[in-house]
């Protein structure tokens, strides 16, 4: 069974940076588009970013463009999310997710989720 394990979250001041990682085990994610989803305290799930299986196309929620960068290393079976210029509203649990398709599409089901890594941005 595929398992996704996030790491890299923590506490950071406004304007700081963090790099989140998502390591996959129990199978290869190299054939699948992946994405990051977050959930702020007391709020619903919010899609953040996605990347196709090859790493050649990336997608971002409008408010994340220019601040967040998604990438992947298929040789390491790992997904990344670089968070820069962090704001207090970026405080959330960040989840790594896997799709069952090669190319990202907003209608594609997310068929595997990690347990999440918490990012706390303090002023």
């Amino acid at each position: 069974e595929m398992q996704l394990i996030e790491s890299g979250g923590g506490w950071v001041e406004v304007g700081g940076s963090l790099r989140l990682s998502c390591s996959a085990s129990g199978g290869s994610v190299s054939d699948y588009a992946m994405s990051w989803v977050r959930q702020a305290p007391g709020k619903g799930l919010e899609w953040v970013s996605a990347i196709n299986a090859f790493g050649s196309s990336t997608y971002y929620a409008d408010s994340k463009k220019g601040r967040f960068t998604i990438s992947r290393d298929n040789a390491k079976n790992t997904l990344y999310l670089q968070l820069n210029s962090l704001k207090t509203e970026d405080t959330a649990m960040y989840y790594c997710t896997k799709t069952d398709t090669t190319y990202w599409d907003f209608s594609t089901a997310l068929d595997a989720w990690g347990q999440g890594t918490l990012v706390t941005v303090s002023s």
Side-chain angles (χ1 to χ4, degrees), residues 19-20 26 28 34 36 39 46 49 54 61 75 90 104 109 112:
R19 189 192 195 202
L20 308 184
S28 172
M34 306 278 291
W36 289 93
Q39 185 169 30
E46 176 189 17
S49 181
F54 314 108
D90 294 319
W104 172 255

Side-chain angles (χ1 to χ4, degrees), residues 4 6 22 29 32-38 46-53 59-60 70-72 79-81 94-101 104-106 108-114:
L4 303 174
E6 301 93 336
C22 171
V29 295
Y32 304 104
M34 306 278 291
S35 73
W36 289 93
V37 176
R38 73 183 187 184
E46 176 189 17
W47 175 78
V48 174
S49 181
I51 187 168
N52 69 9
Y59 310 85
Y60 299 93
I70 191 171
S71 62
R72 64 192 299 162
L79 177 72
Y80 303 99
L81 186 67
Y94 285 73
Y95 297 95
C96 166
T97 69
K98 171 191 163 294
T99 74
D100 60 359
T101 60
W104 172 255
D105 185 286
F106 285 98
T108 300
L110 305 176
D111 64 359
W113 291 66

Side-chain angles (χ1 to χ4, degrees), residues 7-27:
S7 61
W11 181 90
V12 64
E13 292 184 337
V14 169
S17 298
L18 286 172
R19 189 192 195 202
L20 308 184
S21 298
C22 171
S23 179
S25 62

Side-chain angles (χ1 to χ4, degrees), residues 58-70:
T58 57
Y59 310 85
Y60 299 93
D62 286 345
S63 62
K64 317 304 183 288
K65 289 179 182 177
R67 298 194 301 121
F68 293 2
T69 303
I70 191 171

